[in-house]
């Protein structure tokens, strides 16, 4: 979804607190991945697509990234240590600039 000049991606799911639905920027997914890797070094944390320069009009790029971020979230959901982590909870439940909150 495009909000102004920013691309945002919808994230929906269910955790121990019930349903959640948030909209996040790429940099917030990146911040989640980084903080999870630093908290659990050596544990499997799925990769997210690389940050690439793009044209705001490149719908194919946006759809490809959305699909890869969706796969990232589905992979994360397989691991209880991630789903029940405070970092995942911040990502799925809080508002504001999540990348700054996670740092």
């Amino acid at each position: 979804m495009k909000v102004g000049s920013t691309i945002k991606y919808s994230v929906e799911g269910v955790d121990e607190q019930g349903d959640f639905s948030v909209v996040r920027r790429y940099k917030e997914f990146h911040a989640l991945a980084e903080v999870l890797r630093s908290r659990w070094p050596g544990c499997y944390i799925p990769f997210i697509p690389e940050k690439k320069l793009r044209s705001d009009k490149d719908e194919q790029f946006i759809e490809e990234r959305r699909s890869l971020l969706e796969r990232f979230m589905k992979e994360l959901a397989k691991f209880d240590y991630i789903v029940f982590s405070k970092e995942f909870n911040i990502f799925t439940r809080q508002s504001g600039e999540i990348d700054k909150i996670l740092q």
Side-chain angles (χ1 to χ4, degrees):
M1 133 181 10
K2 195 167 182 179
V3 179
S5 64
T6 304
I7 307 299
K8 295 189 176 187
Y9 303 90
S10 296
V11 180
E12 298 175 352
V14 179
D15 62 13
E16 77 280 357
Q17 297 178 47
D19 295 341
F20 61 83
S21 178
V22 294
V23 178
R24 298 286 180 239
R25 296 177 67 175
Y26 172 84
K27 69 181 185 175
E28 294 168 317
F29 286 91
H30 185 267
L32 175 63
E34 291 300 309
V35 75
L36 292 174
R37 282 190 189 96
S38 69
R39 180 167 180 198
W40 288 290
C43 290
Y44 173 71
I45 304 297
F47 288 96
I48 63 170
E50 293 181 28
K51 182 167 180 82
K52 298 178 188 174
L53 296 177
R54 57 151 178 81
S55 165
D56 286 341
K57 295 181 170 89
D58 190 350
E59 294 298 323
Q60 180 181 356
F61 171 82
I62 293 167
E63 177 54 28
E64 211 172 279
R65 180 180 269 178
R66 185 210 58 77
S67 177
L68 292 170
L69 291 173
E70 182 178 321
R71 185 181 324 164
F72 168 73
M73 293 303 293
K74 285 181 178 179
E75 286 293 312
L76 288 181
K78 294 178 181 179
F79 302 99
D80 287 345
Y81 66 93
I82 294 174
V83 173
F84 295 118
S85 71
K86 65 182 177 184
E87 294 85 359
F88 191 81
N89 187 274
I90 289 169
F91 185 84
T92 59
R93 299 287 173 180
Q94 287 195 13
S95 59
E97 296 185 55
I98 299 304
D99 54 316
K100 292 181 177 150
I101 295 169
L102 287 171
Q103 292 172 356

